[in-house]
Amino acid sequence: WLAFVGEEKLAEAQRNQIAGKRAGGVAALDLMEKHLTGRNWLVGDACSLADICLFAYTHVADEGGFDLSGYSAVTGWLNRVMALDGFKPMAAA
């Protein structure tokens, strides 16, 4: 919402949800950081569907106002996903 619509254009009901969504995002990042500490992938010893699914939103979290600088395990994991053979970044339309 924030990256593509802008907070000033959101309906009041949407603006009222921002704090809760931000708290949920921080909780998810905290959980991912804890889980990825000491391991390379979310499940097992190689990239899995779990990594691909969570990569989709996590790699653009900064666009939603999340600061990933305090999440070294998450940012390391993002870099590992992007370093995979055949990785193609999504192009903005």
Side-chain angles (χ1 to χ4, degrees):
W1 294 348
L2 299 176
F4 296 103
V5 176
E7 188 169 348
E8 67 283 349
K9 293 182 181 178
L10 294 177
E12 183 178 352
Q14 291 170 312
R15 282 194 303 278
N16 291 339
Q17 294 178 44
I18 291 173
K21 289 185 178 293
R22 189 160 280 142
V26 168
L29 288 167
D30 288 345
L31 183 62
M32 288 176 70
E33 180 71 14
K34 181 178 178 183
H35 183 77
L36 285 164
T37 298
R39 65 179 71 196
N40 288 328
W41 305 105
L42 291 167
V43 179
D45 296 327
C47 184
S48 70
L49 184 59
D51 297 287
I52 301 305
C53 290
L54 288 175
F55 177 84
Y57 281 108
T58 308
H59 86 286
V60 293
D62 61 321
E63 293 179 21
F66 294 93
D67 179 7
L68 296 181
S69 65
Y71 295 97
S72 60
V74 171
T75 56
W77 166 76
L78 289 170
N79 290 329
R80 283 188 292 281
V81 172
M82 290 185 283
L84 290 169
D85 287 339
F87 175 83
K88 301 284 187 226
M90 295 185 335

